[in-house]
Amino acid sequence: MKKVELPEIDDIINKKDMACLYVYTPMCGTCQLAERMLQVVEELFPHIPFYKTDINYMPERAVAWKIESVPCLLLFDRGNIVKKLYAFHSVPYLYETIKEMLP
């Protein structure tokens, strides 16, 4: 999962048919567990780009994207949020949720 900063985000999400953006904060223990789960899921979807970003450095995006808490996984399709996940129940759950979003 590639870490991205604010200047890169718009380019990335607008140019991809589908992209996953993991939003976290470094001091969040649940975020650390969720990231490990996403690393497994990322291997199962090699054709979908996965990115991560620390929401502390872009509070205006937290407001614009209506992020209620972290960890949060945003699934984008051509720049539009098509799914927002807060509960990372398990690797199979994440896999099935992302799979449902594929065409």
Side-chain angles (χ1 to χ4, degrees):
M1 206 172 338
K2 181 182 179 205
K3 186 171 183 174
V4 292
E5 305 294 330
L6 186 57
E8 304 168 273
I9 288 178
D10 289 331
D11 264 357
I12 289 167
I13 62 175
N14 289 325
K15 290 182 180 174
K16 304 289 183 189
D17 285 343
M18 185 165 184
C20 294
L21 179 65
Y22 173 60
V23 179
Y24 70 99
T25 60
M27 299 303 290
C28 167
T30 305
C31 294
Q32 293 169 14
L33 175 62
E35 184 172 348
R36 288 194 296 272
M37 292 168 64
L38 280 173
Q39 288 169 344
V40 174
V41 174
E42 181 180 18
E43 295 294 319
L44 301 171
F45 294 105
H47 58 286
I48 299 174
F50 281 75
Y51 303 96
K52 66 180 183 177
T53 193
D54 181 346
I55 200 65
N56 289 323
Y57 296 109
M58 52 188 81
E60 68 284 349
R61 288 301 171 102
V63 172
W65 291 333
K66 298 180 175 120
I67 294 174
E68 298 168 11
S69 65
V70 291
C72 180
L73 180 66
L74 302 172
L75 282 71
F76 287 91
D77 186 9
R78 294 180 195 93
N80 298 310
I81 296 174
V82 293
K83 187 83 169 175
K84 195 183 301 183
L85 291 173
Y86 295 103
F88 293 55
H89 300 287
S90 65
V91 169
Y93 172 80
L94 289 170
Y95 173 80
E96 289 300 323
T97 302
I98 293 169
K99 187 177 161 189
E100 287 174 5
M101 303 309 299
L102 296 175

